Amino acid sequence: MEKTSKWKTGNNGTGLLKKTSVSFIIFFLASPLLFAKMPSPSQIRSLTVKSGSRYFFTAQENEYALELPGVEPSQIQTDLYSLPSGVSLVSSKREEYVSSEGERGTRIKMWFTFRDTGIAELPPLILILGRKTYYIPFQKVEIYENPLLISPQASIEINSGSKTEKLKNGTRMVTVHAGEEIQFTLKLQFFVQLLQFDWKLPENSIFKEIKKYDVERGLENGSDFSAKSYPLAVFSWKPLVSGTYALPEMNIYATSYNGIRKKVILPPFVLKVLPSLQSDEFSKKIEKNGLSNIYSNAFAEQNLETKTNENNEISMEDAQKLSEFYSKERNSIFPSKNRKLREEFESSLGLEIQSGTGSRPLGIFLIIFTAVLFLISVLFFIFKKFFRGFLSLLFVAASLIFGVKEISSSLKKYGIFSGGEVLAVPEENTSSRRFESSGKKIEILEEAGNYYLVKSSELNGWVLKNSVFKIK
């Protein structure tokens, strides 16, 4: 019997050889299409690790990407030098990609988190390709505060050539002479929608709005964040009496990125007005008597010696003394006398009269009084004196409401803010901060380290503990 050979020859063997050769030739010819020619060293050195988005933020992952055309993922190795403080590499990956022209290559993606705001300067990416090592720079990107933590911020741009300096506490001071005009532009940043904008005339000044901009939204088309400052209005301000002035009172309400309606706090600003350079009798009369006594029909009459200004600064000693007045009022069973003393002290400091913080003894007294009245009402009903019983119940309800109100208010923690910076987060190196004047009564919500989270009708944020005198 004839044995069959394991290796076939003839036409079948020739066909198999042809198929193998054709497949090898096709693969050889197609391989340049799968991965184009590897870029030259000069081309690789010209590359940049680019940011994956226009804006980077703290407290979230931010993407960088590097594309290498004509290179397979298996041919690449990467490494990083030590990262700066506050920067962390979360993850990275290499993947194959195809460009719009059909060219294949490798895309390297990396995700970082940043603790601090400012310009992100990362060390170059170490790229090992074959036997060569390259150092690819990262694109410089500015890191912004996380949008959920940012409040709308106002800024002032002085348009005239007045003398400007920045004080140690961050306050910007502009110096002019009485009768000199300054022009400034009010701008708004980090907001979604402008809800309200109006202003009041400052005292002893000629103040007018030169131009008002039509601003509704603070976002660019197709974006949910913008670092752009939008001008709201241009003002002309000519103070006529020497002294120190804060910015005119302005009511600006805008929606923040987290959807909350917030009052925009004006930046810390002081206008220092020196005596007029003019020596005419009219200027001297303004300096001596004030503008309201000269143009009573143009401005409302004001008592310049006992004016009330919510931006007045008071000393640390006065802030502590004010907290003591509040403490006495809070611990009095009949606080009306101490309240009057406290209000007189606030008036003497030029502060706006503020509401009390509740009296714990008065609240307890009212609750006890409520219980006694209730028992009396029950007795009236037992003896069928219904009119007196219902009348007593009305007093019971009123006494109970006032008692609960006093006790609930007295259980909250309050203090007097002695002035300083208000931060968005309890960290010294945050860039989201503003300056607030002293004398404000604030509610203490919580504490973290050396900071209190406080709120009032005008401010909301973190302040240093040593800037708050607690009301006991």
Side-chain angles (χ1 to χ4, degrees):
M1 187 175 180
E2 186 179 355
K3 292 183 180 181
T4 304
S5 173
K6 184 177 179 181
W7 301 99
K8 293 184 178 182
T9 59
N11 293 333
N12 291 337
T14 305
L16 180 62
L17 179 63
K18 287 181 178 180
K19 289 179 181 179
T20 303
S21 301
V22 169
S23 299
F24 177 78
I25 292 171
I26 291 173
F27 177 80
F28 180 79
L29 294 174
S31 59
L33 299 177
L34 295 177
F35 285 94
K37 182 181 178 181
M38 185 177 296
S40 65
S42 60
Q43 290 175 321
I44 295 176
R45 292 190 188 95
S46 66
L47 296 175
T48 302
V49 186
K50 297 182 178 180
S51 61
S53 60
R54 184 175 179 183
Y55 299 105
F56 277 11
F57 305 103
T58 60
Q60 74 173 40
E61 295 181 7
N62 302 278
E63 179 187 309
Y64 282 96
L66 173 65
E67 293 185 351
L68 289 163
V71 180
E72 297 183 49
S74 60
Q75 295 178 288
I76 299 172
Q77 295 181 22
T78 58
D79 199 357
L80 278 172
Y81 289 105
S82 297
L83 295 173
S85 176
V87 182
S88 300
L89 174 65
V90 179
S91 62
S92 65
K93 71 174 183 179
R94 287 174 289 174
E95 61 184 11
E96 185 179 326
Y97 81 96
V98 179
S99 68
S100 58
E101 292 79 17
E103 185 180 21
R104 293 179 179 272
T106 298
R107 181 185 291 115
I108 301 171
K109 288 186 175 181
M110 289 164 284
W111 289 267
F112 294 86
T113 59
F114 299 90
R115 182 190 62 196
D116 306 320
T117 59
I119 302 298
E121 296 187 2
L122 301 180
L125 174 68
I126 303 173
L127 179 68
I128 303 173
L129 188 58
R131 295 183 180 181
K132 293 186 177 181
T133 301
Y134 302 92
Y135 302 93
I136 312 300
F138 282 82
Q139 179 183 353
K140 288 187 178 181
V141 179
E142 185 169 0
I143 312 298
Y144 293 92
E145 196 78 53
N146 193 297
L148 297 178
L149 304 176
I150 297 179
S151 294
Q153 296 179 10
S155 61
I156 297 292
E157 182 180 291
I158 304 297
N159 302 337
S160 57
S162 305
K163 179 183 176 183
T164 304
E165 60 180 309
K166 195 170 185 180
L167 305 180
K168 291 182 178 180
N169 58 11
T171 302
R172 188 179 181 185
M173 185 173 73
V174 176
T175 303
V176 297
H177 287 86
E180 291 182 352
E181 178 191 23
I182 67 166
Q183 292 186 8
F184 67 89
T185 303
L186 177 67
K187 294 185 175 182
L188 188 60
Q189 188 180 21
F190 304 134
F191 70 103
V192 175
Q193 186 174 8
L194 179 64
L195 303 176
Q196 178 183 343
F197 172 43
D198 56 69
W199 49 272
K200 295 181 180 180
L201 283 172
E203 59 186 18
N204 301 321
S205 303
I206 298 175
F207 189 85
K208 57 185 177 181
E209 184 181 75
I210 299 176
K211 182 178 181 180
K212 189 172 184 177
Y213 294 86
D214 186 16
V215 177
E216 292 183 0
R217 292 179 59 81
L219 297 177
E220 301 170 20
N221 293 333
S223 172
D224 56 0
F225 177 85
S226 174
K228 180 180 176 182
S229 291
Y230 292 84
L232 300 185
V234 179
F235 294 97
S236 170
W237 189 1
K238 183 185 290 186
L240 301 176
V241 179
S242 61
T244 302
Y245 298 83
L247 282 170
E249 182 180 348
M250 296 186 180
N251 293 316
I252 309 173
Y253 289 88
T255 306
S256 60
Y257 292 119
N258 57 13
I260 298 176
R261 180 179 185 268
K262 291 189 175 182
K263 182 176 182 179
V264 180
I265 306 300
L266 296 177
F269 180 92
V270 171
L271 180 64
K272 184 179 180 181
V273 182
L274 303 176
S276 174
L277 294 175
Q278 300 177 6
S279 58
D280 58 273
E281 183 179 351
F282 181 74
S283 298
K284 291 181 179 179
K285 191 175 181 181
I286 293 176
E287 289 289 339
K288 181 178 180 180
N289 300 320
L291 182 65
S292 61
N293 293 331
I294 298 174
Y295 294 118
S296 57
N297 60 333
F299 297 91
E301 289 191 7
Q302 304 172 49
N303 186 343
L304 300 180
E305 294 181 357
T306 59
K307 63 183 179 181
T308 298
N309 184 350
E310 62 180 3
N311 292 312
N312 276 353
E313 288 287 345
I314 66 174
S315 65
M316 296 281 284
E317 292 77 10
D318 287 335
Q320 183 176 11
K321 192 173 181 180
L322 183 57
S323 71
E324 293 172 358
F325 273 105
Y326 272 101
S327 297
K328 290 180 180 179
E329 178 184 343
R330 188 174 221 192
N331 292 284
S332 301
I333 189 170
F334 300 111
S336 58
K337 181 179 179 181
N338 288 316
R339 182 183 298 117
K340 184 178 179 181
L341 293 173
R342 184 259 300 172
E343 291 176 350
E344 289 176 353
F345 184 66
E346 283 179 327
S347 297
S348 68
L349 296 175
L351 298 175
E352 181 181 354
I353 303 301
Q354 304 176 90
S355 60
T357 60
S359 170
R360 192 176 295 110
L362 177 59
I364 295 172
F365 171 79
L366 289 174
I367 294 297
I368 296 174
F369 183 67
T370 300
V372 173
L373 275 180
F374 181 76
L375 292 176
I376 294 174
S377 301
V378 172
L379 291 176
F380 279 138
F381 282 107
I382 291 175
F383 290 105
K384 298 183 179 180
K385 296 182 178 181
F386 298 108
F387 177 76
R388 294 183 180 180
F390 283 117
L391 189 62
S392 298
L393 285 179
L394 291 177
F395 283 105
V396 166
S399 179
L400 181 62
I401 291 172
F402 283 108
V404 171
K405 182 181 178 182
E406 289 292 327
I407 289 180
S408 61
S409 182
S410 66
L411 292 177
K412 295 179 181 179
K413 298 178 181 179
Y414 289 95
I416 300 298
F417 185 48
S418 62
E421 291 182 327
V422 181
L423 312 179
V425 292
E427 295 180 2
E428 176 61 29
N429 53 11
T430 180
S431 64
S432 181
R433 61 181 70 208
R434 63 183 185 276
F435 182 85
E436 284 291 340
S437 57
S438 58
K440 293 181 174 64
K441 184 196 72 178
I442 46 90
E443 181 182 352
I444 303 171
L445 302 178
E446 60 180 276
E447 59 180 281
N450 294 324
Y451 295 88
Y452 284 135
L453 176 61
V454 302
K455 76 168 185 177
S456 71
S457 59
E458 300 172 6
L459 64 89
N460 189 351
W462 294 89
V463 300
L464 285 170
K465 289 182 176 180
N466 59 15
S467 66
V468 177
F469 293 100
K470 296 183 72 174
I471 298 172
K472 300 177 182 179

